Each structure stands twice: as C-alpha cells, then as structure tokens.
mmCIF file of all heavy atoms in Angstrom:
data_model
loop_
_atom_site.group_PDB
_atom_site.id
_atom_site.type_symbol
_atom_site.label_atom_id
_atom_site.label_comp_id
_atom_site.label_asym_id
_atom_site.label_seq_id
_atom_site.Cartn_x
_atom_site.Cartn_y
_atom_site.Cartn_z
ATOM 1 N N GLY Y 887 -8.268 -13.849 17.109
ATOM 2 C CA GLY Y 887 -7.811 -12.506 17.474
ATOM 3 C C GLY Y 887 -6.336 -12.285 17.310
ATOM 4 O O GLY Y 887 -5.778 -11.377 17.916
ATOM 5 N N LEU Y 888 -5.692 -13.100 16.479
ATOM 6 C CA LEU Y 888 -4.245 -13.006 16.305
ATOM 7 C C LEU Y 888 -3.875 -12.152 15.109
ATOM 8 O O LEU Y 888 -4.578 -12.152 14.093
ATOM 9 C CB LEU Y 888 -3.647 -14.403 16.139
ATOM 10 C CG LEU Y 888 -3.879 -15.385 17.277
ATOM 11 C CD1 LEU Y 888 -3.305 -16.753 16.919
ATOM 12 C CD2 LEU Y 888 -3.286 -14.864 18.570
ATOM 13 N N GLY Y 889 -2.759 -11.431 15.220
ATOM 14 C CA GLY Y 889 -2.263 -10.652 14.086
ATOM 15 C C GLY Y 889 -1.724 -9.316 14.542
ATOM 16 O O GLY Y 889 -1.694 -9.003 15.744
ATOM 17 N N ASP Y 890 -1.282 -8.528 13.570
ATOM 18 C CA ASP Y 890 -0.695 -7.215 13.840
ATOM 19 C C ASP Y 890 -1.426 -6.145 13.042
ATOM 20 O O ASP Y 890 -1.800 -6.371 11.872
ATOM 21 C CB ASP Y 890 0.797 -7.195 13.467
ATOM 22 C CG ASP Y 890 1.605 -8.122 14.330
ATOM 23 O OD1 ASP Y 890 1.608 -7.921 15.557
ATOM 24 O OD2 ASP Y 890 2.235 -9.059 13.784
ATOM 25 N N LYS Y 891 -1.609 -4.986 13.654
ATOM 26 C CA LYS Y 891 -2.305 -3.861 13.011
ATOM 27 C C LYS Y 891 -1.311 -2.732 12.733
ATOM 28 O O LYS Y 891 -0.438 -2.447 13.551
ATOM 29 C CB LYS Y 891 -3.412 -3.321 13.938
ATOM 30 C CG LYS Y 891 -4.543 -4.278 14.164
ATOM 31 C CD LYS Y 891 -5.482 -3.878 15.272
ATOM 32 C CE LYS Y 891 -6.057 -2.509 15.175
ATOM 33 N NZ LYS Y 891 -7.107 -2.252 16.161
ATOM 34 N N ASN Y 892 -1.539 -2.083 11.593
ATOM 35 C CA ASN Y 892 -0.813 -0.867 11.219
ATOM 36 C C ASN Y 892 0.697 -0.997 11.342
ATOM 37 O O ASN Y 892 1.364 -0.185 11.978
ATOM 38 C CB ASN Y 892 -1.359 0.333 11.988
ATOM 39 C CG ASN Y 892 -2.723 0.727 11.456
ATOM 40 O OD1 ASN Y 892 -2.942 0.719 10.237
ATOM 41 N ND2 ASN Y 892 -3.643 1.020 12.340
ATOM 42 N N ILE Y 893 1.205 -2.037 10.689
ATOM 43 C CA ILE Y 893 2.658 -2.233 10.532
ATOM 44 C C ILE Y 893 2.931 -2.341 9.038
ATOM 45 O O ILE Y 893 2.033 -2.674 8.271
ATOM 46 C CB ILE Y 893 3.164 -3.508 11.255
ATOM 47 C CG1 ILE Y 893 2.520 -4.767 10.646
ATOM 48 C CG2 ILE Y 893 2.906 -3.423 12.767
ATOM 49 C CD1 ILE Y 893 3.181 -6.066 11.065
ATOM 50 N N PRO Y 894 4.139 -2.043 8.580
ATOM 51 C CA PRO Y 894 4.442 -2.270 7.168
ATOM 52 C C PRO Y 894 4.290 -3.753 6.839
ATOM 53 O O PRO Y 894 4.707 -4.628 7.615
ATOM 54 C CB PRO Y 894 5.901 -1.821 7.037
ATOM 55 C CG PRO Y 894 6.094 -0.852 8.153
ATOM 56 C CD PRO Y 894 5.251 -1.386 9.277
ATOM 57 N N VAL Y 895 3.644 -4.053 5.695
ATOM 58 C CA VAL Y 895 3.497 -5.424 5.214
ATOM 59 C C VAL Y 895 4.024 -5.477 3.788
ATOM 60 O O VAL Y 895 4.015 -4.486 3.077
ATOM 61 C CB VAL Y 895 2.026 -5.922 5.297
ATOM 62 C CG1 VAL Y 895 1.547 -5.957 6.753
ATOM 63 C CG2 VAL Y 895 1.105 -5.084 4.441
ATOM 64 N N ARG Y 896 4.486 -6.661 3.396
ATOM 65 C CA ARG Y 896 5.058 -6.798 2.057
ATOM 66 C C ARG Y 896 4.512 -8.018 1.324
ATOM 67 O O ARG Y 896 4.519 -9.125 1.854
ATOM 68 C CB ARG Y 896 6.580 -6.905 2.147
ATOM 69 C CG ARG Y 896 7.234 -6.971 0.770
ATOM 70 C CD ARG Y 896 8.750 -6.807 0.848
ATOM 71 N NE ARG Y 896 9.340 -6.954 -0.475
ATOM 72 C CZ ARG Y 896 9.382 -6.006 -1.414
ATOM 73 N NH1 ARG Y 896 8.893 -4.818 -1.175
ATOM 74 N NH2 ARG Y 896 9.935 -6.240 -2.581
ATOM 75 N N PHE Y 897 4.005 -7.793 0.133
ATOM 76 C CA PHE Y 897 3.601 -8.837 -0.800
ATOM 77 C C PHE Y 897 3.473 -8.194 -2.167
ATOM 78 O O PHE Y 897 3.471 -6.973 -2.290
ATOM 79 C CB PHE Y 897 2.298 -9.524 -0.362
ATOM 80 C CG PHE Y 897 1.113 -8.610 -0.181
ATOM 81 C CD1 PHE Y 897 0.357 -8.199 -1.245
ATOM 82 C CD2 PHE Y 897 0.781 -8.170 1.095
ATOM 83 C CE1 PHE Y 897 -0.741 -7.366 -1.079
ATOM 84 C CE2 PHE Y 897 -0.312 -7.338 1.278
ATOM 85 C CZ PHE Y 897 -1.065 -6.928 0.184
ATOM 86 N N GLY Y 898 3.409 -9.005 -3.205
ATOM 87 C CA GLY Y 898 3.303 -8.457 -4.561
ATOM 88 C C GLY Y 898 4.463 -7.583 -4.945
ATOM 89 O O GLY Y 898 4.305 -6.645 -5.730
ATOM 90 N N GLU Y 899 5.649 -7.844 -4.343
ATOM 91 C CA GLU Y 899 6.881 -7.119 -4.616
ATOM 92 C C GLU Y 899 6.852 -5.670 -4.140
ATOM 93 O O GLU Y 899 7.687 -4.845 -4.580
ATOM 94 C CB GLU Y 899 7.225 -7.177 -6.108
ATOM 95 C CG GLU Y 899 7.390 -8.612 -6.611
ATOM 96 C CD GLU Y 899 7.621 -8.722 -8.096
ATOM 97 O OE1 GLU Y 899 7.945 -7.707 -8.743
ATOM 98 O OE2 GLU Y 899 7.428 -9.835 -8.623
ATOM 99 N N VAL Y 900 5.923 -5.330 -3.221
ATOM 100 C CA VAL Y 900 5.794 -3.965 -2.728
ATOM 101 C C VAL Y 900 5.597 -3.992 -1.208
ATOM 102 O O VAL Y 900 4.921 -4.867 -0.681
ATOM 103 C CB VAL Y 900 4.597 -3.260 -3.404
ATOM 104 C CG1 VAL Y 900 4.208 -1.976 -2.715
ATOM 105 C CG2 VAL Y 900 4.887 -3.004 -4.869
ATOM 106 N N THR Y 901 6.176 -3.010 -0.534
ATOM 107 C CA THR Y 901 5.893 -2.801 0.892
ATOM 108 C C THR Y 901 4.788 -1.764 1.018
ATOM 109 O O THR Y 901 4.858 -0.706 0.404
ATOM 110 C CB THR Y 901 7.158 -2.336 1.642
ATOM 111 O OG1 THR Y 901 8.154 -3.362 1.541
ATOM 112 C CG2 THR Y 901 6.864 -2.065 3.113
ATOM 113 N N PHE Y 902 3.765 -2.096 1.807
ATOM 114 C CA PHE Y 902 2.629 -1.204 2.054
ATOM 115 C C PHE Y 902 2.825 -0.646 3.464
ATOM 116 O O PHE Y 902 2.838 -1.405 4.432
ATOM 117 C CB PHE Y 902 1.321 -1.988 2.007
ATOM 118 C CG PHE Y 902 1.034 -2.658 0.684
ATOM 119 C CD1 PHE Y 902 1.630 -3.879 0.373
ATOM 120 C CD2 PHE Y 902 0.191 -2.067 -0.236
ATOM 121 C CE1 PHE Y 902 1.365 -4.510 -0.827
ATOM 122 C CE2 PHE Y 902 -0.087 -2.687 -1.450
ATOM 123 C CZ PHE Y 902 0.511 -3.903 -1.745
ATOM 124 N N THR Y 903 2.947 0.666 3.568
ATOM 125 C CA THR Y 903 3.188 1.308 4.846
ATOM 126 C C THR Y 903 1.953 2.121 5.235
ATOM 127 O O THR Y 903 1.447 2.907 4.407
ATOM 128 C CB THR Y 903 4.429 2.223 4.765
ATOM 129 O OG1 THR Y 903 5.554 1.424 4.365
ATOM 130 C CG2 THR Y 903 4.721 2.872 6.088
ATOM 131 N N PRO Y 904 1.468 1.975 6.467
ATOM 132 C CA PRO Y 904 0.312 2.767 6.890
ATOM 133 C C PRO Y 904 0.549 4.253 6.648
ATOM 134 O O PRO Y 904 1.647 4.767 6.910
ATOM 135 C CB PRO Y 904 0.185 2.447 8.379
ATOM 136 C CG PRO Y 904 0.782 1.084 8.514
ATOM 137 C CD PRO Y 904 1.927 1.059 7.536
ATOM 138 N N GLY Y 905 -0.477 4.917 6.118
ATOM 139 C CA GLY Y 905 -0.388 6.347 5.841
ATOM 140 C C GLY Y 905 0.037 6.665 4.433
ATOM 141 O O GLY Y 905 -0.139 7.795 3.968
ATOM 142 N N GLU Y 906 0.605 5.689 3.700
ATOM 143 C CA GLU Y 906 0.913 5.912 2.295
ATOM 144 C C GLU Y 906 -0.389 5.842 1.507
ATOM 145 O O GLU Y 906 -1.458 5.630 2.070
ATOM 146 C CB GLU Y 906 1.931 4.875 1.790
ATOM 147 C CG GLU Y 906 3.320 5.112 2.330
ATOM 148 C CD GLU Y 906 4.372 4.274 1.635
ATOM 149 O OE1 GLU Y 906 4.087 3.110 1.250
ATOM 150 O OE2 GLU Y 906 5.492 4.776 1.483
ATOM 151 N N TRP Y 907 -0.307 6.014 0.194
ATOM 152 C CA TRP Y 907 -1.492 6.089 -0.664
ATOM 153 C C TRP Y 907 -1.551 4.912 -1.603
ATOM 154 O O TRP Y 907 -0.537 4.492 -2.134
ATOM 155 C CB TRP Y 907 -1.471 7.410 -1.448
ATOM 156 C CG TRP Y 907 -1.557 8.573 -0.526
ATOM 157 C CD1 TRP Y 907 -0.512 9.222 0.070
ATOM 158 C CD2 TRP Y 907 -2.729 9.178 -0.018
ATOM 159 N NE1 TRP Y 907 -0.982 10.201 0.897
ATOM 160 C CE2 TRP Y 907 -2.355 10.195 0.868
ATOM 161 C CE3 TRP Y 907 -4.082 8.954 -0.242
ATOM 162 C CZ2 TRP Y 907 -3.265 11.001 1.538
ATOM 163 C CZ3 TRP Y 907 -4.997 9.754 0.421
ATOM 164 C CH2 TRP Y 907 -4.577 10.758 1.285
ATOM 165 N N LEU Y 908 -2.760 4.419 -1.819
ATOM 166 C CA LEU Y 908 -2.995 3.312 -2.728
ATOM 167 C C LEU Y 908 -4.025 3.726 -3.767
ATOM 168 O O LEU Y 908 -5.032 4.349 -3.425
ATOM 169 C CB LEU Y 908 -3.465 2.090 -1.959
ATOM 170 C CG LEU Y 908 -3.670 0.805 -2.763
ATOM 171 C CD1 LEU Y 908 -3.253 -0.402 -1.933
ATOM 172 C CD2 LEU Y 908 -5.089 0.627 -3.249
ATOM 173 N N TYR Y 909 -3.757 3.377 -5.019
ATOM 174 C CA TYR Y 909 -4.649 3.653 -6.137
ATOM 175 C C TYR Y 909 -4.861 2.325 -6.869
ATOM 176 O O TYR Y 909 -3.873 1.654 -7.200
ATOM 177 C CB TYR Y 909 -4.021 4.682 -7.093
ATOM 178 C CG TYR Y 909 -3.653 5.955 -6.397
ATOM 179 C CD1 TYR Y 909 -2.424 6.099 -5.753
ATOM 180 C CD2 TYR Y 909 -4.534 7.023 -6.336
ATOM 181 C CE1 TYR Y 909 -2.075 7.271 -5.089
ATOM 182 C CE2 TYR Y 909 -4.205 8.192 -5.676
ATOM 183 C CZ TYR Y 909 -2.978 8.304 -5.044
ATOM 184 O OH TYR Y 909 -2.650 9.463 -4.391
ATOM 185 N N ALA Y 910 -6.117 1.956 -7.123
ATOM 186 C CA ALA Y 910 -6.394 0.678 -7.758
ATOM 187 C C ALA Y 910 -7.479 0.814 -8.807
ATOM 188 O O ALA Y 910 -8.434 1.592 -8.650
ATOM 189 C CB ALA Y 910 -6.840 -0.338 -6.688
ATOM 190 N N ASP Y 911 -7.330 0.067 -9.889
ATOM 191 C CA ASP Y 911 -8.344 -0.020 -10.931
ATOM 192 C C ASP Y 911 -8.117 -1.324 -11.697
ATOM 193 O O ASP Y 911 -7.351 -2.189 -11.241
ATOM 194 C CB ASP Y 911 -8.346 1.219 -11.839
ATOM 195 C CG ASP Y 911 -7.042 1.436 -12.600
ATOM 196 O OD1 ASP Y 911 -6.226 0.505 -12.705
ATOM 197 O OD2 ASP Y 911 -6.847 2.569 -13.097
ATOM 198 N N LEU Y 912 -8.759 -1.488 -12.835
ATOM 199 C CA LEU Y 912 -8.631 -2.718 -13.605
ATOM 200 C C LEU Y 912 -7.220 -2.956 -14.117
ATOM 201 O O LEU Y 912 -6.851 -4.099 -14.401
ATOM 202 C CB LEU Y 912 -9.599 -2.716 -14.792
ATOM 203 C CG LEU Y 912 -11.062 -2.959 -14.454
ATOM 204 C CD1 LEU Y 912 -11.942 -2.787 -15.675
ATOM 205 C CD2 LEU Y 912 -11.263 -4.347 -13.868
ATOM 206 N N ASP Y 913 -6.413 -1.907 -14.225
ATOM 207 C CA ASP Y 913 -5.049 -2.074 -14.705
ATOM 208 C C ASP Y 913 -4.061 -2.484 -13.622
ATOM 209 O O ASP Y 913 -2.949 -2.908 -13.927
ATOM 210 C CB ASP Y 913 -4.557 -0.777 -15.368
ATOM 211 C CG ASP Y 913 -5.233 -0.546 -16.706
ATOM 212 O OD1 ASP Y 913 -5.409 -1.518 -17.471
ATOM 213 O OD2 ASP Y 913 -5.610 0.603 -16.992
ATOM 214 N N GLY Y 914 -4.425 -2.319 -12.362
ATOM 215 C CA GLY Y 914 -3.537 -2.746 -11.317
ATOM 216 C C GLY Y 914 -3.606 -1.895 -10.054
ATOM 217 O O GLY Y 914 -4.555 -1.148 -9.848
ATOM 218 N N ILE Y 915 -2.547 -2.032 -9.242
ATOM 219 C CA ILE Y 915 -2.470 -1.330 -7.958
ATOM 220 C C ILE Y 915 -1.154 -0.554 -7.908
ATOM 221 O O ILE Y 915 -0.083 -1.124 -8.194
ATOM 222 C CB ILE Y 915 -2.521 -2.322 -6.779
ATOM 223 C CG1 ILE Y 915 -3.773 -3.192 -6.838
ATOM 224 C CG2 ILE Y 915 -2.416 -1.592 -5.442
ATOM 225 C CD1 ILE Y 915 -3.775 -4.360 -5.859
ATOM 226 N N VAL Y 916 -1.248 0.703 -7.531
ATOM 227 C CA VAL Y 916 -0.107 1.575 -7.394
ATOM 228 C C VAL Y 916 -0.051 2.074 -5.965
ATOM 229 O O VAL Y 916 -1.083 2.463 -5.396
ATOM 230 C CB VAL Y 916 -0.211 2.774 -8.388
ATOM 231 C CG1 VAL Y 916 0.894 3.776 -8.157
ATOM 232 C CG2 VAL Y 916 -0.209 2.286 -9.818
ATOM 233 N N VAL Y 917 1.139 2.083 -5.375
ATOM 234 C CA VAL Y 917 1.344 2.555 -4.007
ATOM 235 C C VAL Y 917 2.324 3.723 -4.078
ATOM 236 O O VAL Y 917 3.327 3.665 -4.785
ATOM 237 C CB VAL Y 917 1.890 1.419 -3.110
ATOM 238 C CG1 VAL Y 917 2.207 1.958 -1.724
ATOM 239 C CG2 VAL Y 917 0.894 0.289 -3.042
ATOM 240 N N SER Y 918 2.030 4.777 -3.307
ATOM 241 C CA SER Y 918 2.876 5.972 -3.340
ATOM 242 C C SER Y 918 3.082 6.523 -1.935
ATOM 243 O O SER Y 918 2.173 6.498 -1.114
ATOM 244 C CB SER Y 918 2.212 7.041 -4.224
ATOM 245 O OG SER Y 918 2.965 8.235 -4.193
ATOM 246 N N SER Y 919 4.266 7.057 -1.719
ATOM 247 C CA SER Y 919 4.563 7.683 -0.429
ATOM 248 C C SER Y 919 3.980 9.104 -0.359
ATOM 249 O O SER Y 919 3.954 9.693 0.728
ATOM 250 C CB SER Y 919 6.066 7.710 -0.169
ATOM 251 O OG SER Y 919 6.735 8.409 -1.190
ATOM 252 N N VAL Y 920 3.510 9.617 -1.490
ATOM 253 C CA VAL Y 920 2.885 10.975 -1.546
ATOM 254 C C VAL Y 920 1.593 10.871 -2.331
ATOM 255 O O VAL Y 920 1.451 10.001 -3.206
ATOM 256 C CB VAL Y 920 3.830 12.005 -2.197
ATOM 257 C CG1 VAL Y 920 5.080 12.181 -1.370
ATOM 258 C CG2 VAL Y 920 4.200 11.611 -3.635
ATOM 259 N N PRO Y 921 0.612 11.728 -2.057
ATOM 260 C CA PRO Y 921 -0.621 11.721 -2.879
ATOM 261 C C PRO Y 921 -0.268 12.041 -4.338
ATOM 262 O O PRO Y 921 0.598 12.871 -4.605
ATOM 263 C CB PRO Y 921 -1.480 12.830 -2.265
ATOM 264 C CG PRO Y 921 -0.906 13.079 -0.922
ATOM 265 C CD PRO Y 921 0.541 12.715 -0.992
ATOM 266 N N LEU Y 922 -0.949 11.387 -5.273
ATOM 267 C CA LEU Y 922 -0.678 11.570 -6.697
ATOM 268 C C LEU Y 922 -1.840 12.277 -7.386
ATOM 269 O O LEU Y 922 -2.984 12.140 -6.988
ATOM 270 C CB LEU Y 922 -0.465 10.215 -7.386
ATOM 271 C CG LEU Y 922 0.690 9.355 -6.899
ATOM 272 C CD1 LEU Y 922 0.708 8.035 -7.661
ATOM 273 C CD2 LEU Y 922 1.995 10.089 -7.046
ATOM 274 N N SER Y 923 -1.497 12.986 -8.468
ATOM 275 C CA SER Y 923 -2.539 13.523 -9.359
ATOM 276 C C SER Y 923 -2.030 13.405 -10.776
ATOM 277 O O SER Y 923 -0.827 13.376 -11.015
ATOM 278 C CB SER Y 923 -2.854 14.993 -9.013
ATOM 279 O OG SER Y 923 -1.706 15.778 -9.100
#
C-alpha cells in the first residue's frame, strides 16, 4: 500500500502532471498541457 497518487511524475525525459493530456500510438507518446486536435 505504499506510494503517492496524483502527483507530477517524471520519466522518459517528460514530466506527467495530473489533468494534462496524453496521446499514444505505435509512433510514441505525446503529453500536452492542453487538449490537441
């Protein structure tokens, strides 16, 4: 039961912040502070 929930985490040279947007497919993973189209 150890760990932290909904905090910014960093790996893969990117910080992932709760509430931001993630897009993933065979080409990779993209993270954005705003929804993308």
Side-chain angles (χ1 to χ4, degrees):
L888 301 176
D890 295 301
K891 293 168 54 172
N892 288 318
I893 63 167
V895 297
R896 183 169 176 81
F897 57 82
E899 301 175 16
V900 167
T901 298
F902 300 81
T903 302
E906 288 192 324
W907 297 89
L908 184 143
Y909 304 86
D911 62 17
L912 285 174
D913 289 319
I915 303 169
V916 173
V917 175
S918 176
S919 59
V920 297
L922 300 177
S923 58

